[in-house]
Structure formats: C-alpha cells, structure tokens
Amino acid sequence: MGSPTSRSGVVAVLVPVAFDLYFGLVLACVTDAAHEHGLLLSIASTQHEHARELELLEELAASTDGAILILPEASGAELERAVPNGYPLAVVDPRVPVGDRIPSVAAAYRRGAYHAIEHLLALGHRRIGVISGPPGYAASVERAAGCREALADAGLTLDPDLWVEADFEIGPGAAGAAQLLDVADPPTAIFGCNDPIACGALRAARERGLRVPEDVSIVGFDDFPLAAATTPALTTIRQPMAEIGRAGVGLIVRQLGGRQSRGPQLELPTRLIVRESTGPAPARREPER
C-alpha cells in the first residue's frame, strides 16, 4: 500500500524500552506494519519516565506526521497538550485509560484472564492462586477483574491469601508464587498475569518439590516464545501481538488519510493455548520439602 498523504512520511514511536521481551515484540510488529504502509519510523525510548516521554513527544511532533505511543506513562489529556492541535496520535496498550479522543488498541485482558480461570475451574481446581501485575496498570486491573468475574460465575470468592501482586518479571513471579505455595492451605493452581510471572511460578514449584501439573497447575498470559520452551510447556493466554501492532499503525494511517479512526478504542481477542502445565486438580498433595 502506498504512503498516505503527509508532510514527511515519518511517524514517531515512543516505547519505554526497546530491548525487552514484550516491548521488543510489539515494536517489531509495529515496524513490519509501518513498512507495509510505506511509513518511516522515528523510534525513541522513554525509559518509563513521565517527563522524558512528554518532552520527546513535544520535540518529535515538530518533525513527524504522527506518533504511536506504546504503554505511555502520561494521561490522554497530557498527551494532547504536548502536541499541536490535530496531530495524529495512537496508543498501543494504554497503561491508563486515555479517553475517547485518542485512538487506542489493546488485547482483551479481562476476557483473557476470565478464560484462564475458567480453564482451571473446568479441570476441577477450586483453590486458585493469582499473581497479578503491579497496581496502576490497566492490564493489571483488567486481568484482576476477569479473574474475579470467572470465580464469581462459578460461585466462588477469592481467598485473600491466594492473591499477590508482582512486577511483570520472573524473579518477582517466583517470590509471589513462593508466598502462595507456603500458605497453610496452598492453591492447586496458579494464574500468573504474564508469562514471566508464570515462569517464576514454575521455578518456585520446582524448588518446593512440587510437580507441574500433577501437584499444581500453572497458567500464564502473553504466549511469548519462551512459553513453549519451558518444562513443562506453559499453558497461557495468547495475545495477538502482530494484530495489535498492525492495528496501532492502522489507527495512524487512517488519521493521516483524513479518515476517522474506527473504534476508536480497539480491543482484540485473546486465545487460550493449552499445553503441559495444567491438569486435573489433585485429590491431595504431599510435596517433598
């Protein structure tokens, strides 16, 4: 497809960090989609710094035709104030809601988490531990809501002892799982709200002599390449990374072409990928310690 009518054909992309498992995948998908539309990208790293993000956006708005922001720190109002009126913006994976004036795209986090818990319930699990992401992230809030909704639909309430928060990394995931597995009545299944957290849970279970899935089932969220490489291979919720990147670029292309962005808040469906880390709830557990 040819390049849309624009001043320079260059679109800014602001990403917290480029060399990261999640952001690297999203950025790769954005660059592929931009190439298909004949767009050049000017990529800048914000380092998760609020002020730096706004400064970079204001600077790049003077020389680019629009901007795609991946998990921005700033609110929608702050983003709009940083750029000239009418400057095209699109947000991929909003950290906080950006309002209905800025088009955005994200995965269906709530439904994805719902399906993860639903899968465990169907296997007979009733003591289900949840390691949520850090507070303040829309992804954490939505996934938590999906967990609670699935439990409520099964007539269950979440035991506070079976809920911990952790950063989206393996180490914090292992620490969170250790806390869950060390309670007096531990869970028979754990949902980690991203794949690195779930990989940390695999490590914590192994350190306690627990077999996965015979003693404890584990589910992740993302379907990063590492999910299929773990032992056992990780059951997870697949995010449509390529489609998210393509949709983010599409939102900008529509604005550059003078067309109203559809949505403008897009939510793309996720899919449960069942592998080896989940199985029927055990009747009783006797871990080797």
Side-chain angles (χ1 to χ4, degrees):
M1 183 180 295
S3 174
T5 302
S6 58
R7 299 188 307 273
S8 66
V10 178
V11 169
V13 178
L14 273 64
V15 61
V17 288
F19 296 102
D20 172 89
L21 187 58
Y22 174 73
F23 296 119
L25 284 172
V26 174
L27 187 58
C29 296
V30 167
T31 57
D32 287 347
H35 174 72
E36 294 175 7
H37 287 283
L39 293 173
L40 297 175
L41 300 180
S42 178
I43 300 171
S45 171
T46 66
Q47 299 298 311
H48 287 289
E49 296 177 9
H50 191 159
R52 174 182 171 85
E53 178 179 77
L54 292 173
E55 291 169 3
L56 285 170
L57 179 59
E58 186 174 354
E59 179 181 339
L60 288 167
S63 59
T64 60
D65 298 341
I68 299 171
L69 299 105
I70 302 173
L71 196 72
E73 300 285 320
S75 67
E78 289 175 313
L79 295 176
E80 287 189 283
R81 287 196 296 267
V83 300
N85 186 39
Y87 179 80
L89 291 172
V91 171
V92 174
D93 193 9
R95 175 172 178 170
V96 296
V98 293
D100 57 8
R101 289 172 54 85
I102 299 178
S104 67
V105 58
Y109 293 133
R110 182 180 298 219
R111 293 305 298 170
Y114 184 101
H115 290 147
I117 301 299
E118 182 181 53
H119 169 65
L120 294 172
L121 290 167
L123 290 170
H125 295 278
R126 294 298 180 267
R127 294 284 293 171
I128 299 174
V130 174
I131 309 174
S132 74
Y137 284 77
S140 299
V141 172
E142 289 297 303
R143 292 175 199 184
C147 292
R148 291 190 175 95
E149 183 181 349
L151 291 169
D153 286 350
L156 302 173
T157 56
L158 185 66
D159 185 336
D161 289 341
L162 299 185
W163 186 284
V164 296
E165 295 175 346
D167 286 338
F168 292 121
E169 297 176 4
I170 293 176
Q179 181 178 333
L180 294 176
L181 293 171
D182 288 344
V183 301
D185 186 10
T188 63
I190 293 175
F191 171 49
C193 285
N194 79 341
D195 283 351
I197 287 176
C199 287
L202 287 172
R203 187 173 78 189
R206 183 171 59 249
E207 290 172 349
R208 281 155 179 74
L210 296 172
R211 300 165 300 164
V212 177
E214 292 85 356
D215 297 318
V216 60
S217 289
I218 296 174
V219 181
F221 197 117
D222 285 321
D223 198 27
F224 291 145
L226 64 84
T230 60
T231 303
L234 185 66
T235 294
T236 189
I237 300 297
R238 176 176 293 168
Q239 287 203 63
M241 295 290 191
E243 290 83 355
I244 288 173
R246 190 179 306 278
V249 173
L251 291 172
I252 283 292
V253 168
R254 291 178 66 84
Q255 292 175 76
L256 293 175
R259 292 168 291 168
Q260 182 180 3
S261 297
R262 61 186 178 91
Q265 315 300 320
L266 305 181
E267 188 176 83
L268 303 186
T270 57
R271 184 157 65 96
L272 173 67
I273 305 298
V274 179
R275 295 195 178 99
E276 301 165 357
S277 68
T278 52
R284 58 195 298 266
R285 307 192 322 153
E286 295 178 342
E288 299 175 7
R289 295 187 181 273

